[in-house]
Amino acid sequence: MRLPGWLAQHLAALRALLVFTVLLGLAYPLVMVAVGQLPGLRDQADGSLVAHGSRLIGQSFTDADGTPVPRYFQSRPSAAGDNGYDPTATAASNLGPESLDLLNDVCARSRAIGELEGVDGSRPFCTADGVGAVLAVFRRDGFTGPVTRVVSVDQTGTPFVATYDGVPVEPAKDGEDYVAQGGVITPIRGDAPADPVVPADAVTASGSGLDPDISPAYAALQAPRVARERAMDVARVRELIEENTHGRAVNVLELNLALDRG
């Protein structure tokens, strides 16, 4: 019996659907999975997930209050999301090199790391209390002439210097915009070493905010603390750093997992 034309067309379409479903929905994916398990391809095909995270996405090793856990190596700062390292909010801070907010962040981080590691956390253009060493300098003729007034813009307490060009330095007042009032922002370098003990990657976030690596210098800075907290020989900790160093970077997650394995 000859089927009506419209029914024959629908049956042909159904057969085509079934054939391509088997080929493209079942056979092709299974072949790709099998190819991905070939030697040399398995690591790439299976992704970067390991126990407790991903080798390619950084994470914080802190407690519920955000305090660094001393027995672990710490990652670099992150501006991705409210608490950092949020893959759904990957981003940098977008603060420029002349941003006072960025300077304050860097100074505060360097001071905190110095205290954590028991080293000198000072750096140029930072005060001893961890804010930017920045003055708003007022001159009689705007940008020229004698200095008439000086304000330490990031300190509401005792200024980091008592005088500038013979003029007493005032503490800042909350809510005051000294630039709008005519002050010229003037960073003060201070006597910190040109090559700070705390490396740059310890105080600045990566462009993505998800960097899983730190520099060998930052890892070396943390080694004595980690060894002390784990009652390990510091030489063994340094060996683990070397084993988890790839080029110029140390993967923090892999290093901490290696520490936990002993």
Side-chain angles (χ1 to χ4, degrees), residues 14 18 22 62 99 112 132 159 187-188 212 217 236 247 254:
L14 180 60
L18 293 174
V22 172
T62 56
S99 168
I188 305 298
R236 175 55 183 157
E254 291 182 338

Side-chain angles (χ1 to χ4, degrees), residues 135-140 146-151 164 167-173 176 178 181 183-184:
L135 302 175
V137 178
F138 295 80
R139 296 182 179 275
R140 185 189 63 193
V147 175
T148 59
R149 183 188 180 198
V150 184
V151 180
Y164 176 83
V167 176
V169 178
E170 307 170 19
K173 295 180 181 179
E176 293 286 327
Y178 295 103
Q181 296 175 24
V184 177

Side-chain angles (χ1 to χ4, degrees), residues 230 232 236 240 243-244 252-262:
R230 291 176 176 264
M232 293 177 63
R236 175 55 183 157
L240 291 174
E243 291 170 7
N244 289 279
V252 182
L253 175 60
E254 291 182 338
L255 176 56
N256 283 332
L257 289 176
L259 281 167
D260 284 344
R261 290 193 297 266

